[in-house]
Amino acid sequence: MPFKRYVEVGRVALVNYGKDYGKLVVIVDVIDQNRALVDAPDMVRGQMNFKRLTLTDIKIEIKRVPNKKTLIAALEAGDVKNKWENSSWGRKLIVQKKRASLNDFDRFKIMLAKIKKAGVVRQELAKLKKETA
Amino acid sequence: MSYKFHQFQVVGRGLPTETDEHPKIYRMKLWATNEVRAKSKFWYFLRKLKKVKKSNGQMLAINEIFEKNPTTIKNYGIWLRYQSRTGYHNMYKEYRDTTLNGGIEQMYTEMASRHRVRHHCIQVIKTATIPAKLCKRESTKQFHNSKIKFPLVFKKVRPPTRKLKTTYKASRPNLFV
């Protein structure tokens, strides 16, 4: 099983620990074996340990240490936001966030919707059972 | 990023006497955990270089020096003198970091781990930002590659906060990326 996700200039990573948890950042340079210089449109360029990053499949075309404008333009060109939100990983995170931010009324609505969906599924199942029986 | 060692600029001179109305002013840049320690270190070094002590000298200024460009990576070369169990030795070490304070902190922790030298036995002689082609150590030169690329081989998945840490796990964690 060869490696598919490499630490390289332009690799998009997800922060999985610490103050910037959940953010997508771009690896802009490598400091040494354990740390990378990391940048995102809404944060000051800073260093981060690889232990705090999970690499994604997305990679953008940038040179080493671009300035903020070039970085934002490259993120637009690489369509990182859409690629992330359409990937199964990105969608799962969005659903998790939505579920965590529900209030009681939303949970009530979801309960009704689930009951309705289960009812429709059961009707279809009953029909299919009758046909085969 | 909070660093343990801060860089201070300390300026002092001997007290003016009848023979010497305007004594020479000396300035030192040194690393200490706080200002009080920095002043003490200043007098320690000045005593060894000039005939002046804290009792017949005065502190003129002490300022903390902050990193000018903490968002760029630099190669730091650090010359130091340290005391081992058998005597004093000089050393030259190289570190890659974004700030000089970070490089110095790396140096102190590395000296402690590799040579068992505690931080009060280390004197920093000189520090410099080294351009890439003058670096001497292979471990810093291996990162001087604009197309650097390597996989993260051993990926331990951590809980996102210390609170969610558990001692036992139900199944063996998968360490592949």
Side-chain angles (χ1 to χ4, degrees):
Chain A
M1 317 169 286
F3 295 101
K4 290 204 202 75
R5 297 176 185 166
Y6 291 86
V7 167
E8 50 198 330
V9 177
R11 174 66 60 181
V12 174
L14 184 70
V15 179
N16 61 22
Y17 190 92
K19 200 166 61 86
D20 302 311
Y21 178 71
K23 267 212 221 162
L24 278 182
V25 292
V26 180
I27 294 179
V28 141
D29 202 355
V30 171
I31 299 176
D32 60 20
Q33 205 191 0
N34 301 324
R35 292 175 297 163
L37 198 58
V38 129
D39 205 356
D42 57 345
M43 70 181 240
V44 181
R45 200 195 307 156
Q47 64 176 1
M48 231 180 222
N49 195 319
F50 288 128
K51 291 186 176 182
R52 292 198 176 194
L53 298 174
T54 331
L55 307 178
T56 65
D57 289 321
I58 310 172
K59 179 175 175 318
I60 60 174
E61 288 296 316
I62 48 169
K63 289 203 146 74
R64 234 167 48 89
V65 195
N67 51 25
K68 237 355 186 289
K69 260 196 337 195
T70 329
L71 179 72
I72 296 182
L75 282 172
E76 292 290 309
D79 205 17
V80 167
K81 199 157 182 292
N82 286 334
K83 274 199 201 149
W84 177 245
E85 281 167 12
N86 295 336
S87 71
S88 55
W89 186 0
R91 271 184 282 139
K92 272 192 271 190
L93 287 185
I94 292 176
V95 168
Q96 276 177 8
K97 262 204 207 112
K98 194 101 214 313
R99 286 205 180 134
S101 69
L102 291 175
N103 61 27
D104 190 55
F105 185 42
D106 290 327
R107 272 173 277 159
F108 178 72
K109 285 191 274 187
I110 285 181
M111 177 186 77
L112 295 182
K114 272 192 186 171
I115 292 175
K116 205 174 195 169
K117 174 180 141 194
V120 171
V121 166
R122 212 170 294 160
Q123 278 188 331
E124 287 299 316
L125 185 61
K127 268 196 234 156
L128 288 173
K129 269 203 200 150
K130 241 209 229 156
E131 283 168 21
T132 55
Chain B
M1 276 255 49
S2 75
Y3 297 110
K4 211 164 104 176
F5 290 97
H6 298 266
Q7 189 182 13
F8 293 96
Q9 170 191 259
V10 190
V11 183
R13 68 167 188 176
L15 287 169
T17 62
E18 309 90 51
T19 48
D20 193 358
E21 290 288 308
H22 299 285
K24 247 205 177 123
I25 304 180
Y26 297 102
R27 176 188 91 121
M28 265 197 93
K29 283 204 259 185
L30 37 84
W31 274 269
T33 43
N34 53 33
E35 279 189 15
V36 175
R37 284 210 165 133
K39 287 195 264 191
S40 168
K41 271 245 182 87
F42 172 76
W43 288 121
Y44 166 75
F45 284 119
L46 208 57
R47 267 204 321 264
K48 298 197 173 299
L49 298 169
K50 302 286 165 198
K51 200 96 158 86
V52 63
K53 300 158 87 161
K54 182 168 173 212
S55 51
N56 53 19
Q58 58 185 179
M59 188 72 56
L60 296 173
I62 171 163
N63 311 96
E64 183 165 355
I65 300 178
F66 298 100
E67 180 72 28
K68 199 149 176 232
N69 287 325
T71 53
T72 53
I73 301 175
K74 300 171 267 292
N75 309 297
Y76 292 106
I78 301 176
W79 286 260
L80 56 132
R81 173 178 188 250
Y82 74 99
Q83 183 180 20
S84 70
R85 293 182 191 135
T86 40
Y88 283 89
H89 307 274
N90 294 332
M91 234 187 212
Y92 166 70
K93 287 191 155 291
E94 275 180 13
Y95 297 100
R96 247 174 95 79
D97 205 315
T98 50
T99 65
L100 184 50
N101 287 350
I104 290 281
E105 185 149 339
Q106 268 185 287
M107 181 273 290
Y108 275 114
T109 52
E110 188 177 345
M111 289 302 288
S113 68
R114 290 220 148 101
H115 305 281
R116 305 302 198 238
V117 177
R118 275 91 208 179
H119 82 273
H120 53 81
C121 294
I122 294 177
Q123 300 173 4
V124 175
I125 303 172
K126 176 174 145 179
T127 63
T129 324
I130 315 262
K133 51 172 165 291
L134 298 176
C135 281
K136 279 172 50 176
R137 304 285 186 246
E138 274 307 314
S139 54
T140 47
K141 292 204 312 202
Q142 69 182 341
F143 292 101
H144 292 155
N145 176 4
S146 63
K147 297 192 189 48
I148 193 165
K149 176 171 163 171
F150 55 89
L152 291 175
V153 172
F154 177 84
K155 245 330 187 142
K156 179 177 147 202
V157 182
R158 293 196 289 185
T161 56
R162 292 285 307 267
K163 244 198 172 124
L164 301 167
K165 183 174 77 149
T166 58
T167 328
Y168 299 101
K169 299 218 183 299
S171 50
R172 199 166 190 160
N174 178 21
L175 300 168
F176 180 72
V177 193

